[in-house]
Amino acid sequence: MDNAQREVVRNVIAQATAGKQSFGMNLPPHRRNFNFISHGTQLLVTALAIEGEPGYDPSILPATYELMAGFLDHAIYPSGTPTEGMHYYNFGMSFASLAMAAMARRDKSLFQHPHYLATRMWYVNSIEPFGYAFSTHHDTPRDDGGLATNYVLLKWILPENRIVDYIWRNRVRDNYSGITYRGDFLAFALFPSDWNGGYIEKNPEASQWGVDTDKQSRLNHATNNPPLNPASLGLSNSYFTPERGLLITRSAWALDATILNFENRPDVTGPSHAHSDRNGFTLSALGRQWAIDRGHHRSETHLHSNVLIDGLGQGHFGPAGEILDYSDEPEVTQIPGDATYAYRYRYTFGTRLGNRENAGYDWEVETLPRVIKYWSATQDPNDRPWEVDRLYTHKALENPLKYAYRTAALARGSQPYVIIVDDIRKDDQVRRYEWLMQLPDDLVAEKTAENRMVLAAEDADEHSPRLMVYVLDMSKSQAIPGKPDQAPIRVETFEMAQSEKLNTKKAWGEGKRLVLTSDSVEPKFKVLLLPHRPSDALPKIRSMNDNEFELIWPNHIDHWKAQRIDQGPTRLTLTRTDGQ
């Protein structure tokens, strides 16, 4: 451009930025906890294009620093888990990480913020065991990990960190085929990085680890960069964020590991990108997914792995749940959650009361139980008293019931497996309870019996993995007038569509789900999920009574006791033959 053209562009930028505020600058720090805040940092990136020139507003830089400090304080929990899912966090950070780089070059770095640095623990635990894929909670449309800019900046500021390198490799892939979006290309051009050690493999073998673990040629080319074994990263098998009610636990850091995701959010206050799936779970094992989260906008309970009562699930939008306990031991990890309130009520904001989905309900103001104390990371909290803000929302009755507890447990060992126990009851009448597990489209029922099913891919061969679904306990169905009987265990194809009562009607075609049906006063679901290969020796399963059962292998026995305490959730106790 010549000087005249530059002057025109400069004037446009000045008029668009000078004296302006980005979204959230007028909010207290604790309310800067969602992606509108990080998106707003585009204001700074744009303004800096004319830094030091006529029309530049120097107040935008410190204001954006304060804004992002509040965001990092309150949009990311100390464990590193954001308040939002993989898509929306990285969507906003596609701008905010660039703004953070610009601020760091002007002696206003936030890259050392402990919450930001801790996100690498959330990223690495979210990677599926088989690699190149990240778990998809809430409104996350794909499992590729979201926009890449923040991955690029993490790698740039921590180039030798082995955990960050592993995350980055899984996101961009060994042959860099993970770089697809136009905005990602710009980030890579500005902040180029390479694998630790500098060796680029042009034709990697498809091991799906984010790195080839079995190719000796890599050692020959880069002796200082041996094949990356995730087990060598020193990571715990379990990652728990109590503030978000998120547990990601695996049998080991290995390619064929079993991994269970369990979530019951206590932090929701109204409509958001969170779904109505308190106590929901996903499961992957032996190199593939078995129970999935359907992701973007598939937000109602019937589209998740939860329980329906006469076809009705949790409120939409879903209220908060509660994690009641958490136990992480070498042999078994278990977590009980309470979704009672999420079934009983639905939440909305006062500004949405006139929306179609909120018609016909009796709404009341609810004062949320927790009080938030906050301060900005850019100021010493001792310099002023902490400010207090009590939150409010609106609630209405949705699906009144007595209780809805779920306990999930992952047992480790030579043949890992998962147990899901549901203590759920609406009232004293016989109701239709349906236990749902959302399935990938390629899964079919290979074998079915009255209390068990074996799932396999449509094209499975004699070496392909299977999942045994074994009903350890479930109340026998009673007749309900006017309702046809259903098979107690089945795989069904259904239309994935929103309820008609929602503000917008959407449909996403057909999907598959496994359904357990119990027409009863209380279904007493206890379900064993056992991934295995055809060559594996399966255990004999013996039930002594409703609350005691054994899995019997040739070389050891797993003895389980399931005990409800004070009408709360079931607590599981595992005793192995070696006494552990």
Side-chain angles (χ1 to χ4, degrees):
M1 291 187 290
D2 58 30
N3 288 336
Q5 292 170 326
R6 290 192 187 94
E7 185 65 23
V8 172
V9 174
R10 184 182 298 112
N11 287 336
V12 170
I13 293 174
Q15 291 180 46
T17 59
K20 303 297 193 301
Q21 287 188 333
S22 66
F23 186 90
M25 285 183 177
N26 62 336
L27 295 177
H30 72 285
R31 293 186 184 271
R32 299 171 184 170
N33 62 351
F34 58 108
N35 67 86
F36 279 26
I37 306 301
S38 45
H39 276 291
T41 59
Q42 296 173 80
L43 176 66
L44 173 64
V45 176
T46 304
L48 289 176
I50 58 170
E51 184 180 17
E53 301 178 24
Y56 172 67
D57 184 349
S59 68
I60 294 175
L61 178 60
T64 303
Y65 179 75
E66 174 75 19
L67 180 79
M68 275 305 297
F71 178 82
L72 298 178
D73 279 347
H74 299 284
I76 304 172
Y77 294 118
S79 66
T81 302
T83 58
E84 296 187 299
M86 191 65 68
H87 171 68
Y88 276 96
Y89 172 72
N90 284 304
F91 190 21
M93 289 302 292
S94 65
F95 302 105
S97 57
L98 294 175
M100 288 170 64
M103 289 188 290
R105 288 175 169 172
R106 291 157 179 83
D107 296 324
K108 287 187 172 294
S109 178
L110 288 168
F111 284 125
Q112 299 307 312
H113 192 292
H115 294 187
Y116 180 76
L117 291 177
T119 59
R120 66 185 187 272
M121 303 308 297
W122 170 67
Y123 278 127
V124 72
N125 280 278
S126 296
I127 297 171
E128 293 277 13
F130 46 82
Y132 286 177
F134 295 75
S135 57
T136 56
H137 292 260
H138 311 315
D139 275 352
T140 297
R142 294 178 302 278
D143 65 1
D144 62 359
L147 295 181
T149 306
N150 198 47
Y151 296 85
V152 175
L153 265 295
L154 268 174
K155 173 69 172 172
W156 182 259
I157 65 170
L158 297 170
E160 301 303 322
N161 186 284
R162 297 175 70 246
I163 294 175
V164 170
D165 185 59
Y166 179 65
I167 297 165
W168 183 81
R169 284 167 147 174
N170 273 274
R171 176 58 184 84
V172 306
R173 304 196 174 196
D174 290 25
N175 60 0
Y176 299 90
S177 62
I179 310 169
T180 57
Y181 181 65
R182 60 185 183 274
D184 293 344
F185 281 102
L186 176 60
F188 278 98
L190 291 172
F191 304 97
S193 294
D194 203 353
W195 296 2
N196 285 352
Y199 171 63
I200 302 174
E201 186 178 329
K202 297 299 184 183
N203 297 295
E205 293 179 358
S207 64
Q208 286 200 337
W209 268 102
V211 66
D212 294 329
T213 60
D214 57 353
K215 196 165 185 181
Q216 186 64 30
S217 63
R218 295 201 63 253
L219 284 173
N220 298 336
H221 284 276
T223 55
N224 64 333
N225 185 25
L228 178 60
N229 178 4
S232 71
L233 296 175
L235 296 167
S236 171
N237 287 328
S238 296
Y239 174 78
F240 179 50
T241 300
E243 298 91 345
R244 193 173 123 169
L246 171 66
L247 170 65
I248 304 175
T249 184
R250 66 188 70 211
S251 58
W253 283 90
L255 178 68
D256 60 353
T258 298
I259 184 170
L260 171 71
N261 281 245
F262 181 91
E263 191 161 22
N264 186 339
R265 300 199 61 157
D267 58 345
V268 293
T269 59
S272 69
H273 291 294
H275 290 180
S276 299
D277 65 337
R278 311 294 170 261
N279 287 340
F281 73 94
T282 62
L283 176 67
S284 296
L286 300 178
R288 64 156 298 137
Q289 294 178 316
W290 298 101
I292 63 173
D293 189 313
R294 299 196 174 277
H296 200 242
H297 290 177
R298 282 80 160 173
S299 54
E300 292 181 275
T301 307
H302 68 276
L303 299 170
H304 291 83
S305 296
N306 290 94
V307 177
L308 301 180
I309 308 171
D310 290 336
L312 190 61
Q314 299 170 17
H316 193 280
F317 290 89
E322 184 179 1
I323 298 295
L324 299 175
D325 199 359
Y326 170 59
S327 173
D328 185 37
E329 301 293 339
E331 298 298 316
V332 62
T333 298
Q334 70 169 306
I335 187 167
D338 184 357
T340 306
Y341 203 77
Y343 277 91
R344 285 178 180 167
Y345 294 100
R346 61 192 282 126
Y347 273 178
T348 196
F349 296 141
T351 55
R352 300 172 64 107
L353 289 175
N355 289 3
R356 175 181 155 189
E357 79 265 19
N358 293 325
Y361 290 90
D362 293 327
W363 291 96
E364 59 181 295
V365 175
E366 165 145 283
T367 302
L368 295 175
R370 65 187 189 280
V371 175
I372 293 181
K373 294 182 178 180
Y374 64 90
W375 61 280
S376 170
T378 60
Q379 296 181 354
D380 186 331
N382 296 317
D383 289 344
R384 61 173 179 163
W386 282 22
E387 300 176 56
V388 176
D389 182 36
R390 185 174 290 278
L391 299 179
Y392 300 88
T393 193
H394 287 74
K395 72 174 183 181
L397 274 176
E398 173 73 23
N399 189 5
L401 80 175
K402 289 190 173 183
Y403 46 79
Y405 303 116
R406 168 172 282 178
T407 303
L410 169 68
R412 299 179 181 87
S414 58
Q415 201 169 64
Y417 57 92
V418 168
I419 293 176
I420 306 289
V421 179
D422 283 281
D423 301 296
I424 185 168
R425 180 169 180 169
K426 183 172 178 64
D427 49 30
D428 296 330
Q429 299 182 37
V430 175
R431 303 281 184 175
R432 172 154 293 177
Y433 293 91
E434 294 174 293
W435 189 96
L436 308 180
M437 187 171 85
Q438 305 295 325
L439 303 178
D441 291 340
D442 69 324
L443 288 185
V444 295
E446 187 177 65
K447 300 176 183 177
T448 303
E450 183 179 1
N451 66 339
R452 73 193 73 181
M453 176 180 287
V454 174
L455 299 174
E458 292 174 325
D459 59 354
D461 58 26
E462 67 274 17
H463 305 294
S464 300
R466 268 75 173 171
L467 180 73
M468 181 172 71
V469 181
Y470 191 102
V471 183
L472 297 164
D473 188 25
M474 181 172 73
S475 297
K476 187 175 181 180
S477 286
Q478 306 175 46
I480 299 180
K483 282 192 176 182
D485 293 339
Q486 288 279 14
I489 181 169
R490 68 187 187 278
V491 169
E492 67 178 20
T493 299
F494 71 106
E495 184 67 25
M496 296 187 296
Q498 284 184 343
S499 300
E500 291 189 359
K501 62 183 179 181
L502 294 191
N503 196 37
T504 56
K505 185 177 181 181
K506 295 182 180 180
W508 300 275
E510 292 184 338
K512 286 184 179 179
R513 62 190 182 190
L514 182 143
V515 186
L516 307 179
T517 300
S518 173
D519 296 337
S520 58
V521 175
E522 184 167 354
K524 300 181 180 179
F525 294 120
K526 294 184 183 70
V527 184
L528 166 70
L529 304 173
L530 177 62
H532 64 280
R533 298 189 187 279
S535 59
D536 292 336
L538 293 179
K540 295 180 181 179
I541 301 172
R542 183 177 69 172
S543 294
M544 281 74 84
N545 51 59
D546 291 348
N547 298 311
E548 201 165 358
F549 51 90
E550 288 182 335
L551 279 65
I552 306 170
W553 279 275
N555 58 351
H556 75 278
I557 298 174
D558 281 3
H559 184 100
W560 289 89
K561 288 185 179 179
Q563 182 180 10
R564 291 193 67 191
I565 300 174
D566 298 330
Q567 296 302 304
T570 292
R571 309 301 174 101
L572 296 167
T573 303
L574 167 64
T575 303
R576 286 197 158 146
T577 50
D578 56 7
Q580 294 185 29

